[in-house]
Amino acid sequence: MRTHIPLTRIVALVTASLLGAAGCAGHDSGGGAAAAPRTVRPVAGCGAGSWTDPADLAPGRKAARCDKGAPAARPLTKKRKITVATGTLSAEYVAPLQVAVAKGEFTKEGLDVELKVLPTPDALPLLAKGDVDAQWAAPEAAVMNGINGGFDIKWVAGNFSPDPTSKSGLWVRLKEGESADHVEMAGRKLGTMIGKGSVIAYPMDTSLKKHGGGLDRISFQQLGSADVLTALQNGGVDSAWLLDPIWRKVDGDRKYAFLGGQPVGEPLGGLLFGPTLLNKDPDAGVAFLRAYIRTVNTYFAGDYKSDPGFVAELAKLLKTDEATLRSTPSMRMDWEIRKGTTDRLQEAYADSGVSKGASVPEAKAVDRAMYSEAVGHKL
């Protein structure tokens, strides 16, 4: 049975571990010697559509795309081993990494990539010290608190945003006289498997505030993934954050209403790099992103679930059944990072009381230079 540790304790423990590791993490790109400028060359197959304005937050924004098979591999002169920590290998948002390994896209770049399952609190100290090279996660409260403490970790690429038809997010059991347009959320109990320090705090806070709530005006009950829906249905909680494909169980039932989910067009997670790929071996960092971006362009450019053969491949890689995978719309895989996302995340962390110290400036938490180089875009 999995034991749930209070998030405030996790944040404190992770931050303490990272601060202790900071002295071993290499130079801090925010305060150390400036890295030499890198040459950015045009990339065949990656034209104007391979970059979008980071300030564009329109729900209808088209995700950046290159041609299928682009950017082409540029093998490193010496093979590198890269270890990537991830909290799971079964979630759909990890599929591009799984496919990149299975299809040999990393191998084409001269990279030997290992995907290692590690919970975020365990992986962060290792990333800060350089014991793992990258993490497939998100700029959660623990990450921002660690950066605030002086170690070198940056968010270098996005992962996905939801399809506009997805209803993964905040659901509420309606009281008499309420409707989806008129729900009073203040004082409600919300069931979730995700703590206040997760990036989901941002869209959750946004949805709550539209209905008289806010993270500081509701109570939380952290539950296992199998228990969230049950608690909502039996009255143990009166609202819940339901993930894919669980929300399908209440969709269409008039007793429940969907109040909102992750913003369309704004990835909230993806790749975090530590000091090795940021500073010691940026060539390998760019090569990793090139393989990741090529995988998105080749296999996830559009509605990838419209291909039955590919869905069957994904189901095997993710160790799930095809029917479950087909029950929700394709995600919009997106390697770019929107302007101001980390600011909005930190506002939510402050509202929920899990942030430590001053807000981290975006320039200290986000690095778009590597993915821009991979597609041939000069910042």
Side-chain angles (χ1 to χ4, degrees):
M1 180 179 292
R2 182 176 176 181
T3 301
H4 292 289
I5 303 171
L7 180 62
T8 51
R9 179 164 173 76
I10 289 175
V11 170
L13 289 172
V14 171
T15 303
S17 297
L18 288 168
L19 289 175
C24 304
H27 86 266
D28 184 340
S29 62
R38 294 179 61 85
T39 301
V40 178
R41 301 179 177 87
V43 172
C46 293
S50 65
W51 176 270
T52 67
D53 179 1
D56 184 359
L57 297 173
R61 174 185 67 88
K62 290 185 177 180
R65 291 289 184 262
C66 300
D67 293 344
K68 183 177 180 179
R74 296 176 57 193
L76 299 169
T77 55
K78 184 179 179 182
K79 190 172 184 178
R80 267 76 150 195
K81 173 69 181 290
I82 290 180
T83 302
V84 184
T86 175
T88 179
L89 288 174
S90 60
E92 189 176 337
Y93 62 82
V94 189
L97 292 190
Q98 294 269 59
V99 170
V101 171
K103 299 290 187 180
E105 298 298 344
F106 291 124
T107 303
K108 293 175 186 176
E109 300 285 352
L111 301 175
D112 177 10
V113 173
E114 177 189 7
L115 303 180
K116 190 172 185 178
V117 176
L118 283 172
T120 295
D122 296 338
L124 280 175
L126 300 177
L127 182 64
K129 290 188 295 183
D131 290 343
V132 299
D133 305 296
Q135 188 169 352
W136 190 251
E140 298 181 344
V143 175
M144 305 308 287
N145 289 337
I147 294 173
N148 217 6
F151 60 87
D152 196 9
I153 290 176
K154 287 191 175 182
W155 185 19
V156 298
N159 51 8
F160 77 96
S161 62
D163 183 276
T165 63
S166 174
K167 293 181 182 179
S168 173
L170 181 61
W171 286 81
V172 61
R173 191 175 64 257
L174 298 172
K175 297 179 181 179
E176 187 175 350
E178 290 184 330
S179 67
D181 298 324
H182 181 71
V183 179
E184 182 58 43
M185 289 301 297
R188 302 243 182 168
K189 181 184 289 187
L190 190 147
T192 175
M193 60 175 288
I194 302 166
K196 294 181 181 180
S198 164
V199 291
I200 295 301
Y202 153 42
M204 190 183 293
D205 201 27
T206 301
S207 296
L208 288 168
K209 286 178 176 177
K210 290 178 181 177
H211 297 277
L215 293 174
D216 57 340
R217 302 189 68 189
I218 63 167
S219 61
F220 277 82
Q221 184 168 339
Q222 195 161 350
L223 301 164
S225 59
D227 302 323
V228 176
L229 178 62
T230 302
L232 178 64
Q233 292 175 321
N234 68 18
V237 297
D238 43 24
S239 60
W241 190 269
L242 301 180
L243 302 176
D244 287 335
I246 303 301
W247 58 267
R248 291 286 194 187
K249 301 287 186 180
V250 294
D251 190 31
D253 188 330
R254 293 184 180 182
K255 296 194 298 291
Y256 304 94
F258 173 62
L259 301 185
Q262 178 177 330
V264 176
E266 184 176 11
L268 300 182
L271 275 166
L272 306 176
F273 278 178
T276 302
L277 297 181
L278 286 174
N279 305 312
K280 296 177 184 177
D281 198 356
D283 287 346
V286 174
F288 188 99
L289 289 175
R290 192 163 48 237
Y292 165 50
I293 292 170
R294 182 170 60 253
T295 301
V296 172
N297 290 320
T298 304
Y299 302 99
F300 297 92
D303 182 12
Y304 52 90
K305 293 185 182 179
S306 63
D307 180 347
F310 187 59
V311 170
E313 286 185 59
L314 280 185
K316 288 181 181 178
L317 284 174
L318 301 177
K319 294 181 172 57
T320 188
D321 65 275
E322 294 180 42
T324 299
L325 205 54
R326 287 195 301 267
S327 69
T328 55
S330 297
M331 293 177 171
R332 290 183 170 184
M333 301 303 183
D334 188 352
W335 64 79
E336 293 190 311
I337 300 170
R338 300 292 88 197
K339 183 178 180 181
T341 297
T342 54
D343 296 331
R344 291 183 285 276
L345 289 171
Q346 290 179 96
E347 288 177 12
Y349 301 152
D351 285 347
S352 61
V354 296
S355 59
K356 307 289 183 183
S359 180
V360 178
E362 183 181 84
K364 197 173 180 180
V366 173
D367 186 344
R368 298 182 181 88
M370 286 187 169
Y371 72 68
S372 67
E373 180 181 337
V375 300
H377 177 84
K378 293 183 179 180
L379 291 174

